[in-house]
Amino acid sequence: DKMDRLRQGLKRAKMPRSEKLKMLEDLVAATHFTNDEVVALQTMFNSMQTGDKMDRLRFRELLHDHFNLTDDLLLDRIFKQFAVLNEATITVSEFVKGLSIFLRGSQDELVEFVFGVYSLHGEEEISREEMFRLLKSCIVKPQSEEDRDEGIKDLVDLLMKKMDKDGNGRLSLEDYKLSVQEDSLLLEALGPCLPDKKGSKGFLLAAEAMPRV
């Protein structure tokens, strides 16, 4: 039952009032959220599990249910952008800070976030192989696998020609920033990993509507 889970989560998440206020103050200062929005997101976090950390499965459910993000590879990579301290779980602070960029990030913040999602091995450049794998993961299969692979290779060539500013055959963060400055549509060039405005607004409204137990 959702209410029981919420009560258990809040019970386990209890901490001294001074610590709660300090965490709230720090999160408001570090994010694009108001005081009330941070509290609402903390409540949502606590309602989704009985402990003080969220696992990959719960996080994926949240992205799927609220933002209709369904690609397994990208969902895992988004999770890793939130999970700073531990690759297996995220804390409430990581949840709120990650959502601050995910929902309201500046262009520079979003470029860095998206680049981190697309850099499958956590390196400072994205290779042609990574671009191919990402596009293959999110492009609908045509009648022929061979046709799809050829089409993806052509798309990789096109994107590399447009975005590889220093011509070294790989995409750096600087390449990505310059490309998005020229054409904002290139932000999610390698697959959907951000919410639209309607989804962002709806998510925050859902969080704010949750009962404060």
Side-chain angles (χ1 to χ4, degrees):
D1 178 273
K2 189 177 274 191
M3 282 302 294
D4 285 343
R5 203 161 67 225
L6 174 59
R7 290 191 186 96
Q8 289 174 32
L10 290 175
K11 187 176 179 182
R12 290 201 187 186
K14 277 187 177 177
M15 59 176 74
R17 181 174 172 77
S18 60
E19 280 185 38
K20 269 189 187 175
L21 290 172
K22 180 69 169 65
M23 178 188 282
L24 180 59
E25 186 180 296
D26 289 347
L27 286 173
V28 171
T31 65
H32 301 298
F33 295 129
T34 65
N35 203 87
D36 287 347
E37 286 169 339
V38 170
V39 172
L41 291 170
Q42 288 174 317
T43 302
M44 174 181 271
F45 179 92
N46 290 327
S47 76
M48 294 187 69
Q49 69 284 312
T50 54
D52 59 355
K53 291 179 181 171
M54 184 182 294
D55 64 24
R56 188 184 303 262
L57 180 61
R58 286 277 182 209
F59 185 78
R60 286 172 60 130
E61 285 174 0
L62 179 123
L63 292 186
H64 179 268
D65 293 347
H66 289 276
F67 306 110
N68 199 31
L69 294 171
T70 57
D71 183 86
D72 287 341
L73 177 60
L74 289 173
L75 286 172
D76 277 345
R77 293 301 306 161
I78 294 168
F79 178 82
K80 286 186 178 179
Q81 293 310 294
F82 277 69
V84 178
L85 298 175
N86 183 328
E87 287 192 0
T89 58
I90 58 177
T91 65
V92 66
S93 291
E94 289 173 331
F95 181 70
V96 175
K97 288 176 181 177
L99 285 171
S100 174
I101 295 171
F102 189 69
L103 302 176
R104 289 190 178 156
S106 65
Q107 181 170 288
D108 280 351
E109 286 176 325
L110 289 173
V111 168
E112 290 187 18
F113 179 87
V114 169
F115 186 85
V117 170
Y118 294 156
S119 180
L120 300 180
H121 303 298
E123 296 172 354
E124 293 182 3
E125 292 181 316
I126 300 170
S127 67
R128 282 178 173 273
E129 292 74 24
E130 287 172 305
M131 293 172 74
F132 182 88
R133 187 179 168 200
L134 285 159
L135 291 169
K136 188 171 183 175
S137 178
C138 65
I139 288 177
V140 178
K141 290 182 181 177
Q143 292 178 340
S144 160
E145 182 84 10
E146 191 177 325
D147 287 346
R148 180 171 69 147
D149 285 359
E150 281 304 313
I152 294 169
K153 284 176 185 173
D154 290 343
L155 185 51
V156 169
D157 287 342
L158 187 68
L159 288 171
M160 195 62 83
K161 189 175 180 182
K162 193 172 180 67
M163 300 178 74
D164 180 18
K165 301 301 182 184
D166 57 11
N168 71 344
R170 298 167 72 87
L171 293 184
S172 66
L173 178 58
E174 189 60 27
D175 288 334
Y176 219 97
K177 283 183 178 177
L178 291 171
S179 300
V180 173
Q181 283 170 15
E182 291 173 4
D183 184 353
S184 61
L185 293 177
L186 290 171
L187 180 60
E188 292 178 271
L190 299 175
C193 57
L194 293 172
D196 57 25
K197 287 184 180 178
K198 185 179 177 183
S200 297
K201 188 174 181 182
F203 179 79
L204 286 170
L205 287 173
E208 289 169 348
M210 294 196 74
R212 313 285 171 87
V213 177

